[in-house]
Amino acid sequence: PQPQWPQQQQWPSQYGYPPGYATPTPKRSGWTPGAIIAVVGAALLVAGSLLDWVVVSSPFGEISRGGMDTDDGKLTVAAGGLGLLFFLIAASARTIAFHIIGAVTSLAGGAVALIDIIDVHDKAEDLGTEFASASVGIGLYVCVIGAIAGLVGGIIAAATSK
């Protein structure tokens, strides 16, 4: 006669998987907090490029010049747009390389905006008349804030993605 082996126990589905079976892990989204910060930062870099970069005031009125009126503004909007594209690809594909590339493009855009802030301050001091004054517009500050957020968010996203 054949030996009788005990029947394998059937596990009801309500109790989950039987011991020894690996529980499937759910797919993680690439939209980590770092990725969200990076995308928002790149979008701010683009938005800041469209705002006023320099404002000149005189008794006759105020004149402002936007970022898109300058070559540097076109560079920052390109850097922000590329950063945004790379961050979106990185979040969808969950790849570290695109987070790093996006962070570098944010850094480049921020460097351009920071240099322009320094240039506007220097030229405003050179103007130095009581009839007119020049100041940095809100757009340059938004660009720098966006670039910092893009850089930090990209680094955090790269460090936390698998």
Side-chain angles (χ1 to χ4, degrees), residues 131-154:
F131 298 111
S133 66
S135 61
V136 176
I138 187 77
L140 282 172
Y141 294 120
V142 171
C143 282
V144 170
I145 291 167
I148 291 169
L151 176 65
V152 171

Side-chain angles (χ1 to χ4, degrees), residues 24-35:
T25 54
K27 274 188 139 182
R28 269 188 47 196
S29 168
W31 290 101
T32 62

Side-chain angles (χ1 to χ4, degrees), residues 64-159:
S64 60
R65 188 168 183 189
M68 294 309 292
D69 297 333
T70 67
D71 290 337
D72 288 352
K74 292 172 183 143
L75 287 175
T76 57
V77 80
L82 284 173
L84 187 59
L85 177 68
F86 288 129
F87 290 137
L88 290 173
I89 292 170
S92 322
R94 295 183 310 220
T95 59
I96 295 172
F98 284 108
H99 283 301
I100 293 170
I101 294 169
V104 170
T105 58
S106 293
L107 177 64
V112 170
L114 195 58
I115 289 169
D116 281 352
I117 287 174
I118 293 167
D119 286 347
V120 169
H121 276 295
D122 289 347
K123 289 177 181 169
E125 287 177 5
D126 291 344
L127 188 61
T129 68
E130 57 190 61
F131 298 111
S133 66
S135 61
V136 176
I138 187 77
L140 282 172
Y141 294 120
V142 171
C143 282
V144 170
I145 291 167
I148 291 169
L151 176 65
V152 171
I155 291 170
I156 291 170

